[in-house]
Amino acid sequence: MTTHSSIEHHPDLAEMRTRFERVTATPAAQAVEALALITGLYLAASAWIAGFSALSPLAINNLIAGVAFCLCMGGLGSAYERTHAMAWTAVAIGAWTIVAPWVMAGAMDTTRSIVSNVITGAVALCLGLAMVSMGGRPRTTT
């Protein structure tokens, strides 16, 4: 019978963890995470801030999407090696936020809801893509 050592001690895994730790310690990654949390909080409260809370399906959608965006992007700073794939979820939430006023049932496409959702969704999408790109190739310094 062959006994295999634990994957926890594999050199590639240790290198990957070190690389992800370096990524999340950079000012750029910390700025992206902070902006993402602010964006998620605004998205969650946008119906009441921008004044379209009477459109309750869109208000509830934005509340849920904002909380989900905060949860996805909030865990990236502390546990990026385990949560970096969730950045793609943040990209999807950003894209959904852009199209939600037109896709949801009812007349949700007022000027306030469209402007708020398109701008917030575009920012969320860009922040999600920024976080995805940070985990890509290791950065080399010469």
Side-chain angles (χ1 to χ4, degrees):
M1 181 190 290
T2 305
T3 306
H4 297 284
S5 64
S6 172
I7 187 87
E8 291 294 318
H9 302 293
H10 194 278
D12 290 340
L13 184 62
E15 187 276 328
M16 185 175 66
R17 283 187 176 157
T18 303
R19 180 170 49 101
F20 283 152
E21 187 175 308
R22 279 193 312 265
V23 166
T24 58
T26 64
Q30 293 169 356
V32 168
E33 183 181 15
L35 290 172
L37 291 175
I38 292 168
T39 300
L41 290 174
Y42 174 78
L43 178 58
S46 63
W48 294 272
I49 293 170
F52 58 90
S53 61
L55 304 173
S56 61
L58 187 60
I60 293 168
N61 173 74
N62 285 6
L63 177 64
I64 293 169
V67 170
F69 189 80
C70 280
L71 291 173
C72 285
M73 296 297 276
L76 294 174
S78 61
Y80 190 78
E81 74 274 2
R82 292 186 305 268
T83 59
H84 67 280
M86 288 195 319
W88 284 110
T89 304
V91 172
I93 291 171
W96 168 253
T97 301
I98 293 170
V99 300
W102 294 285
V103 176
M104 296 193 64
M108 303 294 142
D109 55 348
T110 65
T111 302
R112 289 179 182 189
S113 66
I114 290 172
V115 169
S116 178
N117 275 38
V118 168
I119 292 172
T120 307
V123 169
L125 192 133
C126 290
L127 290 170
L129 288 173
M131 193 56 82
V132 166
S133 70
M134 287 183 192
R137 289 178 270 139
R139 301 196 189 271
T140 57
T141 57
T142 55

